[in-house]
Amino acid sequence: MAESILAVQALRKSFGALAATDGVDLDLREGETHAIIGPNGAGKTTLIGQLAGNLRPDSGSIRFAGEDITHLSAPQRARRGFARSFQITSIYRDFTALDNVALAVQAHAGHSFRFWRAAREERALRDPARVVLEEVGLGARADVLAANLAHGEQRQLEVAMALATRPRLLLLDEPVAGMGLEESERMVQFLSGLKGRQTIILVEHDMDAVFTLADRISVLVYGRIIASGAPEEVRANAEVRRAYLGEEA
Amino acid sequence: MRARTLILAACVLLLLAVPPLATVFNQPYYIDLLRRVLIFGIAAVSLNLILGYGGLVSFGHAAYLGVGAYSVGILAFYGIHNGWLQWAVAIVASALVALLIGAISVRTRGIYFIMITLAFTQMLYYLGVSVEEFGGDDGMRLKVKSQFSGLVDLGDPVTYYYVVLALLLACMYLVHRLVNSRFGRVIRAAKSNEARTRAIGFSPYPYQLVAFVIAGAMCGLAGALLANHTAYITPAFMDWTRSGEIMFMVILGGMGSIPGPALGAFALLIVEDQLAGWTQHWQVIFGPLLVLSVLFFKRGLAGLLPGGGKDG
């Protein structure tokens, strides 16, 4: 069994009487695509917030690549190799696609207290950014303002920004949400190309995408993981069917 | 982009031509008026760095105008007239005050940031009012202007005008370099989308704080210039309405544009001057004019230039 890159133990987070995260354990192996699914209100957003460092858990611990990151901020986690996309597309709308990705490269190229040289002329930032844009299929759109990209392209751009930080772990929050069928298929195809090379946490409502991409699936219901395993096992799990899949199928 | 460069170059040429033209037409008043415009241009350019590019709505920028002016005034009060020293103290003192105010305020966002920057400036204002030794409410005269080892004589209005013009252009160039550097990309990114900026691994706070300090230092220089311009230093330099004026120059001229704030300072002060010469109740006309200009020039005056209202 491969070494686990992310180990979450007994994570708890309550808002008043509501236990949004109620003792979650999660173990991620290097290179796997691990999907987290669950009905609305299951606590997925709260869990992601804690993993990414935007929310502090009440108790429990998160270890990333052997280091306890429970109390690190989001930027600190990002610098250690934790990249994410947001459920609602989060990009720099008033920057070009290339500038968006170049900023992600810059964030991982040492400190930015450099006051004089024009950053847009720095090949050390531009060239890697261009490579990643090509990789996600936005090479021809590099100089377009992000706000003017199609919705699907914006989602691709967000993934490009995450990849440009050369992450050890990629957290994708509903990457195909709001996409047309064709766009969605293209994204799933692109993500399956990352499989094996990239460790991915995939939070997604689209079950086709989940069952195509995931090596393992954890099912979150009312803040607890009620099942975790290979897609076939989860699909066959009676509790999961009752709590979740049954409603949709 | 070429047309834009030509227009801006023409503006600089016109500014260079103001002293000879004013002399030819025997209107020395305009040298004085334009010099005031240029000094406030520096203040507005400095605010634009944090407001236009950094998204930090500081409602207390006049504080540094006051700190810079009082640095010159207090040193002169104790008989130190060396301009190099006075201006250096003005810049360093403003930077330190900005560091103190920024260290606390930059951690906050939105209305809290506005209120904290305003509150600090009000404290400095009342400090100026209460220290009787330096004239209190009435302020104090600057009997001797800053002396520059006999190199330049600020007592000569034309020389002083060109000094201020050179400093304004230097400040604009400095901000241009800053906002296009890696440092500038970070503060602009944090303005555009803070959550995304943190998620890719930047902690915006130290960058925003440094920008805040640079803006304060630059405005401190404007304060030192203003003290020499009016030869009089009063707490009114730090009045909250003054902060509002500087902010308005930036918004009117065009946030996030290099020439914008200077254009805004020009438009605001010239219109104010013309209306004041026409009627006592000029503010009645001035107010609606400001509202209309904001409604119709969404990207500011700089947005009317070919090439649009954004630089960098």
Side-chain angles (χ1 to χ4, degrees):
Chain A
M1 185 169 140
E3 185 197 348
S4 77
I5 182 153
L6 185 78
V8 177
Q9 273 184 348
L11 205 65
R12 276 173 216 284
K13 175 81 186 174
S14 302
F15 300 104
L18 175 74
T21 304
D22 192 8
V24 165
D25 296 309
L26 199 62
D27 215 30
L28 237 75
R29 298 168 202 148
E30 189 114 46
E32 78 169 326
T33 297
H34 193 124
I36 298 175
I37 62 172
N40 285 322
K44 297 191 295 291
T45 304
T46 306
L47 179 59
I48 292 166
Q50 291 170 90
L51 294 181
N54 299 318
L55 274 178
R56 287 285 148 88
D58 296 336
S59 65
S61 74
I62 305 169
R63 294 181 70 79
F64 179 55
E67 184 189 6
D68 187 346
I69 61 161
T70 316
H71 300 289
L72 296 187
S73 68
Q76 286 172 321
R77 292 180 199 202
R79 288 197 290 273
R80 280 161 177 77
F82 202 120
R84 69 171 295 186
S85 73
F86 289 82
Q87 190 175 347
I88 295 164
T89 311
S90 178
I91 52 177
Y92 302 113
R93 297 178 57 81
D94 46 349
F95 291 18
T96 66
L98 186 59
D99 282 342
N100 268 272
V101 184
L103 259 164
V105 175
Q106 187 187 327
H108 291 256
H111 69 79
S112 285
F113 287 106
R114 299 188 190 175
F115 299 97
W116 203 249
R117 195 167 156 210
R120 296 186 79 172
E121 287 161 15
E122 286 196 55
R123 302 200 57 181
L125 302 179
R126 309 297 273 179
D127 290 352
R130 218 173 262 285
V131 169
V132 180
L133 271 184
E134 294 284 351
E135 206 178 312
V136 302
L138 286 175
R141 308 284 274 159
D143 296 320
V144 178
L145 267 191
N148 297 338
L149 294 172
H151 174 76
E153 292 177 321
Q154 292 181 346
R155 299 300 284 180
Q156 286 172 289
L157 178 61
E158 199 176 6
V159 173
M161 292 176 78
L163 288 176
T165 66
R166 300 177 182 283
R168 300 194 62 182
L169 175 60
L170 183 59
L171 195 161
L172 300 172
D173 194 354
E174 301 196 21
V176 303
M179 280 188 173
L181 193 61
E182 207 176 305
E183 283 178 331
S184 154
E185 271 172 7
R186 207 178 316 139
M187 177 64 89
V188 169
Q189 201 182 353
F190 172 74
L191 293 178
S192 58
L194 293 178
K195 274 174 68 78
R197 294 189 280 147
Q198 187 73 58
T199 313
I200 299 174
I201 297 181
L202 175 70
V203 177
E204 186 52 70
H205 275 295
D206 183 324
M207 286 306 129
D208 288 339
V210 167
F211 283 98
T212 308
L213 291 170
D215 299 308
R216 285 199 295 162
I217 298 174
S218 292
V219 185
L220 193 67
V221 177
Y222 295 124
R224 293 164 173 274
I225 289 182
I226 59 165
S228 190
E232 317 79 67
E233 295 171 42
V234 169
R235 209 198 288 265
N237 184 305
E239 201 180 349
V240 173
R241 295 190 78 91
R242 198 165 46 245
Y244 184 46
L245 291 174
E247 292 174 2
E248 296 218 334
Chain B
M1 239 21 215
R2 275 194 64 84
R4 181 190 183 85
T5 314
L6 284 176
I7 290 174
L8 292 173
C11 287
V12 173
L13 283 177
L14 275 175
L15 285 171
L16 283 169
V18 164
L21 288 175
T23 313
V24 167
F25 293 101
N26 199 21
Q27 295 279 354
Y29 168 70
Y30 283 100
I31 299 179
D32 197 72
L33 176 64
L34 263 298
R35 196 170 66 200
R36 183 180 164 78
V37 167
L38 297 177
I39 292 171
F40 275 94
I42 294 176
V45 164
S46 72
L47 178 61
N48 185 39
L49 173 64
I50 51 174
L51 173 62
Y53 289 101
L56 301 172
V57 186
S58 168
F59 198 18
H61 213 57
Y64 315 105
L65 217 49
V67 172
Y70 271 95
S71 300
V72 170
I74 291 171
L75 285 172
F77 181 83
Y78 289 112
I80 300 167
H81 301 296
N82 183 318
W84 305 107
L85 182 67
Q86 285 180 340
W87 291 18
V89 169
I91 291 170
V92 171
S94 304
L96 288 175
V97 171
L99 181 64
L100 181 77
I101 297 178
I104 297 163
S105 63
V106 172
R107 291 182 189 281
T108 65
R109 291 288 174 267
I111 194 77
Y112 301 102
F113 181 79
I114 297 174
M115 285 298 133
I116 290 176
T117 50
L118 173 63
F120 272 110
T121 305
Q122 286 300 90
M123 279 159 58
L124 287 168
Y125 172 80
Y126 286 110
L127 181 68
V129 167
S130 62
V131 181
E132 288 300 328
E133 189 157 26
F134 305 127
D137 208 1
D138 298 326
M140 61 174 166
R141 277 193 65 77
L142 182 69
K143 294 196 187 76
V144 182
K145 292 198 174 178
S146 302
Q147 302 293 308
F148 287 91
S149 338
L151 272 178
V152 280
D153 175 16
L154 300 189
D156 176 44
V158 174
T159 306
Y160 190 25
Y161 175 90
Y162 285 121
V163 167
V164 174
L165 177 57
L167 286 172
L168 170 63
L169 293 176
C171 287
M172 286 166 69
Y173 181 67
L174 178 65
V175 169
H176 166 73
R177 295 302 303 223
L178 284 175
V179 299
N180 286 298
S181 70
R182 286 194 185 198
F183 169 78
R185 307 293 306 175
V186 179
I187 61 166
R188 293 164 76 177
K191 180 201 178 195
S192 173
N193 185 340
E194 178 149 1
R196 173 39 78 196
T197 304
R198 293 172 59 81
I200 59 177
F202 288 117
S203 305
Y205 175 72
Y207 298 100
Q208 289 171 329
L209 181 58
V210 168
F212 195 86
V213 169
I214 294 172
M218 198 181 285
C219 193
L221 173 65
L225 294 171
L226 189 61
N228 280 284
H229 173 79
T230 55
Y232 204 92
I233 297 135
T234 102
F237 287 177
M238 296 180 277
D239 197 279
W240 67 274
T241 58
R242 187 58 54 83
S243 297
E245 269 174 40
I246 303 172
M247 191 189 286
F248 201 85
M249 291 170 186
V250 177
I251 295 167
L252 175 66
M255 288 191 287
S257 132
I258 297 296
L263 292 173
F266 182 84
L268 192 86
L269 293 176
I270 296 293
V271 171
E272 186 184 278
D273 177 75
Q274 293 299 312
L275 288 179
W278 187 42
T279 162
Q280 241 186 331
H281 309 289
W282 57 274
Q283 281 160 327
V284 177
I285 306 169
F286 196 54
L289 269 183
L290 295 186
V291 174
L292 287 176
S293 64
V294 170
L295 285 177
F296 287 104
F297 308 138
K298 287 224 169 75
R299 317 211 82 176
L301 296 171
L304 302 176
L305 293 172
K310 300 275 172 189
D311 289 284

